[in-house]
Amino acid sequence: MEKKLLMIVNPRSGKTKSRAPLFDAVSRFGRSGWLVRVAETDRRGHAAELAAQLGGGYDAVVCVGGDGTLNETITGLMTLSRRPPLGYLPFGSTNDFAASLHIPASPPEAAELVADGTPRALDIGCHNGRYFAYVASFGAFTRSSYSAPQSTKNALGHFAYLLEGLKDLDSLRPYRCRVETGGEVFDGDFIFGGVCNSTSLGGLVKLDPERVKMDDGKFELLLLRMPKTPLDLQNLILALTKMQYDYPGVIFRHVDSVTVTTDDDVPWSLDGEYAPSAPQVDIRLLSGAVELLLSQ
């Protein structure tokens, strides 16, 4: 019996508008016996609607777009009682999630992994009721993920995030927070906080791939305390670049839940999508909530 695949495509993602790579990907799925339906998104939130309304009737759902489109697709799948396996063909400007899983940036090459792939359990995060696939973060480098205009992302790609990230450094500020996790409490002023399941955050911050597992029932908590001097900031960034997590001012933990309380205005980014500030943010891990199609 033929297998049915729903391909959710964001036509505005990425630096190129060429559809040729997508045709090649569809052809690859066809050779593996998949009957493909292509559904294009035409507005923010549409991928979530398509996944929720149509996904239950398919044997697999494949997202084609950037991290934001993937976030929406997962959000839609999470509403289903029976969730089909998920495939991902990265087609955005900076694809942190794909980079962490070594998924090729070329849709036809990524389709090779998905077409005959094996479902692999994937941990999903929940941030005050909203889902994220790989990161919930605040502070430095966070605003750049959602503030760079789409036209700039399309024209400059990854460089657009670097430009926005440099702007973040110019306006570096502390966020006074209380962070509770696993019986530990961290109080103070932080320039960055992230709960992540990825080795790349915004294309700017890299985590040690030896210490990040996508299906281990744990997320990684990274907190950076506010440096006192420009030299302290320079040393902090250098330590982060070298993945020296025992450096003063760096807090790194493996966690399954985090609570952040604050009186400050602390906007968040969920997989690059804006989330408003809240006096209390509860983040919890949903172990193996989605199955991801990947070759072994």
Side-chain angles (χ1 to χ4, degrees):
M1 188 171 70
E2 206 159 28
K3 303 171 292 183
K4 295 194 300 178
L5 183 150
L6 174 65
M7 182 181 285
I8 298 175
V9 178
N10 180 354
R12 290 165 300 284
S13 289
K15 291 173 287 187
T16 174
K17 297 300 180 183
S18 171
R19 301 298 180 90
L22 300 185
F23 288 127
D24 291 340
V26 170
S27 176
R28 178 61 186 86
F29 287 125
R31 292 198 301 274
S32 290
W34 291 97
L35 181 63
V36 180
R37 172 181 175 180
V38 176
E40 290 193 352
T41 65
D42 59 19
R43 60 187 180 279
R44 183 179 292 275
H46 197 193
E49 294 173 20
L50 291 170
Q53 295 168 3
L54 304 176
Y58 288 81
D59 299 297
V61 172
V62 171
C63 167
V64 183
D67 291 334
T69 310
L70 179 68
N71 176 281
E72 288 190 14
T73 302
I74 288 175
T75 296
L77 291 179
M78 291 297 292
T79 67
L80 302 176
S81 56
R82 186 197 72 82
R83 296 174 198 136
L86 172 68
Y88 183 37
L89 310 188
F91 207 53
S93 305
T94 295
N95 304 295
D96 287 322
F97 184 81
S100 296
L101 288 168
H102 308 292
I103 298 174
S106 161
E109 291 180 29
E112 287 283 346
L113 300 184
V114 175
D116 300 311
T118 302
R120 169 180 166 183
L122 178 70
D123 300 333
I124 298 297
C126 184
H127 171 288
N128 277 8
R130 282 181 59 178
Y131 299 108
F132 63 93
Y134 75 92
V135 66
S137 63
F138 68 85
F141 317 119
T142 294
R143 186 179 62 86
S144 60
S145 61
Y146 57 76
S147 64
Q150 186 63 51
S151 58
T152 306
K153 294 179 188 177
N154 289 345
L156 299 178
H158 174 66
F159 190 60
Y161 291 94
L162 294 178
L163 290 176
E164 292 294 322
L166 292 175
K167 290 180 186 176
D168 275 0
L169 286 178
D170 289 341
S171 58
L172 207 60
R173 53 153 293 188
Y175 296 87
R176 178 164 288 278
C177 300
R178 176 183 175 89
V179 182
E180 302 173 70
T181 181
E184 291 186 283
V185 177
F186 305 103
D187 269 307
D189 293 333
F190 301 97
I191 58 169
F192 175 84
V195 179
C196 49
N197 201 26
S198 171
T199 59
S200 177
L201 310 179
L204 297 167
V205 178
K206 305 292 183 183
L207 296 183
D208 183 352
E210 295 298 318
R211 302 179 68 170
V212 176
K213 307 298 180 187
M214 311 290 280
D215 57 355
D216 62 354
K218 295 287 184 180
F219 279 169
E220 283 62 53
L221 169 68
L222 178 66
L223 298 170
L224 303 180
R225 292 193 182 275
M226 181 69 185
K228 292 182 171 60
T229 68
L231 180 59
D232 287 342
L233 173 60
Q234 180 179 327
N235 289 334
L236 181 65
I237 293 175
L238 183 61
L240 196 60
T241 302
K242 293 182 176 180
M243 302 178 186
Q244 296 172 339
Y245 302 127
D246 55 353
Y247 184 82
V250 177
I251 298 168
F252 185 82
R253 297 288 190 275
H254 301 287
V255 303
D256 56 21
S257 64
V258 174
T259 297
V260 179
T261 53
T262 183
D263 292 327
D264 284 0
D265 180 22
V266 183
W268 288 74
S269 170
L270 306 182
D271 295 344
E273 300 297 305
Y274 171 78
S277 177
Q280 178 170 314
V281 168
D282 292 306
I283 298 173
R284 59 192 176 93
L285 180 142
L286 307 175
S287 182
V290 169
E291 291 186 319
L292 190 69
L293 286 169
L294 284 174
S295 62
Q296 294 291 357

